[in-house]
Amino acid sequence: RSKDAGGGKHFTYEPALHAHAEERRKLEFSLRRALERNEMLLHYQPVVSADSENVVSFEALLRWNSTDHGMVSPAKFIPLAEDTRLIVPIGEWVLREACAEAMRWPRHIKVAVNVSGEQLLDPQFATTVVSALAVTGLPAPRLEIEVTESIFLRDASAARNTLEQIMALGCSIALDDFGTGYSSLGYLRKLRFSTIKVDRSFVQGAAQKNPESLAIIRAVVAMAESLGVTTTAEGVETETELQVVKSLGCNKIQGFFFGRPMPASDARALFGPGEAGSLAGRAA
Ligand code: C2E
Ligand code: MG
Ligand code: MG
Ligand code: MG
C-alpha cells in the first residue's frame, strides 16, 4: 500500500463535503447566539404509569426555533452543540427552565432532563444542578437526569462520580435509550439508576413479534426488577405496542400514543384544579 504517487486523490475537491462544512459553520454561528436571542424553548412529553395511565412525569425536550434557519431538529443541533461544547451553557439553561416549569405542576409530577457526556464531564455540572434547584425552589427528588450509555465510554469514573454527587442531592438518574449503545452491565451494578428506558426500536420490534426484541425487553424487565429499577418503554405509538409493553411488564410508558412533546402551556393545561393529570382525552 504505497502512497498514491501522482494521485492527489485525498485532495480532490469535494463540493458536497464543502457545502456540508459550510452549512455546519453557519449553523454553529447561529447556535452561538441562540440563547441570547431567546430562540431555545422546551417541549414536554408525558410519561404515564402503565397501571393507572396517569401522568407521572414529563421529559423536557429542547427545541431550537432559529431566526436564520427556522426550526432545527435536535438530531442536527444537539450533536453540533456537543462538538462545540455549547451544550454546557445551553444545558444549564435547560435545567433552570425545566425546574422552573415543574414548579407549576402538581407536586407528585417529576421532570426529566437529558444531559450529554460533555455536560457531565464539566467540573461545574453538580454546581449547575444545585443552583437550578436553589433558584427555582424545585425539590431535588422531583428532578430526574437522563443519561445514555455513551457517557461511560470516555471517562467512566468521572461520569460516575458526577452522577453520584447528583444522587446525593436527592435527584434520580435514568438510563436512556437502553440497549442501543455500548451496553455493559458493569455500570448497572455500580450506579443506582432509578429507571431504565427501553429504546423505541425494541418496542417496535416486540410489537411486530420480533423474537429478539421480545427476548431483550423480557430480559431487561427481569433484570430491572431484581435490581429494584423501574422500566419505561419509549416511543409507544400504537395500542398494539402499548399492550405488548404492558404485558412484558414495563412500569411506565412514553410515546406519541399518550402524547407528543408539547409546549409548556399545553402540558400545564393537562392539570385541572386538583386533577391527577389523566390523558383520557388523548389523541391516538
Ligand atoms: P431522547 O432523550 O431519547 O428523547 C426521546 C425522543 O423520542 C424525542 O425526540 C421524542 O420526541 C421522540 N419520541 C417520543 N415519543 C415518540 C414516539 O412515540 N415515536 C417517535 N417516533 N418518536 C418519539 P427529540 O425531541 O427529537 O429529541 C431527540 C434527542 O435529542 C433526545 O432523545 C435526546 O437525546 C436529545 N435531546 C433533546 N433535548 C435535549 C436536551 O435538553 N439536552 C440534551 N443534552 N439532549 C437533548
Ligand atoms: Mg431522554
Ligand atoms: Mg430516549
Ligand atoms: Mg430513544
Side-chain angles (χ1 to χ4, degrees):
R1 289 205 183 144
S2 60
K3 266 192 183 164
D4 200 352
K9 196 177 181 189
H10 295 98
F11 304 101
T12 310
Y13 179 65
E14 291 267 11
L17 210 65
H18 179 75
H20 182 77
E22 180 64 13
E23 192 205 327
R24 209 182 133 90
R25 202 189 57 76
K26 283 183 177 158
L27 216 55
E28 180 182 336
F29 180 86
S30 306
L31 190 60
R32 288 195 183 278
R33 283 148 194 83
L35 278 181
E36 65 199 45
R37 289 163 124 190
N38 274 316
E39 294 172 348
M40 291 290 176
L41 65 152
L42 293 181
H43 278 187
Y44 296 88
Q45 186 178 31
V47 178
V48 307
S49 153
D51 295 331
S52 65
E53 298 193 0
N54 281 340
V55 177
V56 291
S57 62
F58 286 95
E59 178 172 3
L61 292 160
L62 187 56
R63 298 290 178 260
W64 179 24
N65 190 4
S66 163
T67 317
D68 305 324
H69 309 276
M71 283 299 279
V72 186
S73 157
K76 210 168 191 178
F77 77 81
I78 301 261
L80 179 61
E82 290 173 346
D83 289 351
T84 55
R85 300 197 78 252
L86 285 165
I87 196 68
V88 172
I90 292 171
E92 182 169 357
W93 177 85
V94 170
L95 268 167
R96 289 214 181 181
E97 182 77 10
C99 291
E101 189 56 35
M103 286 295 284
R104 309 175 75 160
W105 306 337
R107 276 192 296 274
H108 62 283
I109 307 289
K110 288 189 176 198
V111 65
V113 173
N114 293 287
V115 167
S116 305
E118 283 66 26
Q119 294 172 263
L120 220 52
L121 293 180
D122 173 38
Q124 291 300 305
F125 183 70
T127 310
T128 302
V129 174
V130 170
S131 77
L133 295 170
V135 164
T136 60
L138 189 77
R142 291 187 60 197
L143 174 63
E144 182 153 88
I145 298 293
E146 293 195 4
V147 298
T148 62
E149 297 156 304
S150 66
I151 59 155
F152 297 105
L153 276 183
R154 265 163 51 197
D155 190 342
S157 68
R160 204 180 120 196
N161 225 295
T162 306
L163 289 177
E164 274 166 357
Q165 290 177 50
I166 306 300
M167 288 162 73
L169 297 172
C171 301
S172 53
I173 314 290
L175 193 50
D176 207 351
D177 303 339
F178 188 74
T180 58
Y182 321 83
S183 305
S184 141
L185 300 182
Y187 50 71
L188 284 174
R189 186 164 50 94
K190 288 178 180 156
L191 260 177
R192 263 197 5 89
F193 291 97
S194 69
T195 306
I196 293 175
K197 300 188 77 172
V198 177
D199 192 68
R200 164 171 157 71
S201 53
F202 302 110
V203 171
Q204 269 183 310
Q208 290 158 9
K209 301 200 162 60
N210 172 264
E212 289 78 21
S213 298
L214 282 163
I216 287 169
I217 300 186
R218 267 197 204 101
V220 171
V221 168
M223 180 183 66
E225 276 173 2
S226 61
L227 290 169
V229 175
T230 65
T231 45
T232 301
E234 290 195 279
V236 172
E237 292 186 351
T238 65
E239 177 76 44
T240 309
E241 288 172 356
L242 174 65
Q243 292 315 325
V244 168
V245 298
K246 270 190 178 180
S247 71
L248 290 169
C250 292
N251 307 111
K252 289 174 280 177
I253 319 277
Q254 181 177 1
F256 294 172
F257 184 74
F258 283 107
R260 289 184 177 254
M262 60 186 93
S265 55
D266 291 0
R268 224 180 286 149
L270 291 176
F271 307 104
E275 204 219 319
S278 126
L279 291 174
R282 70 196 179 214

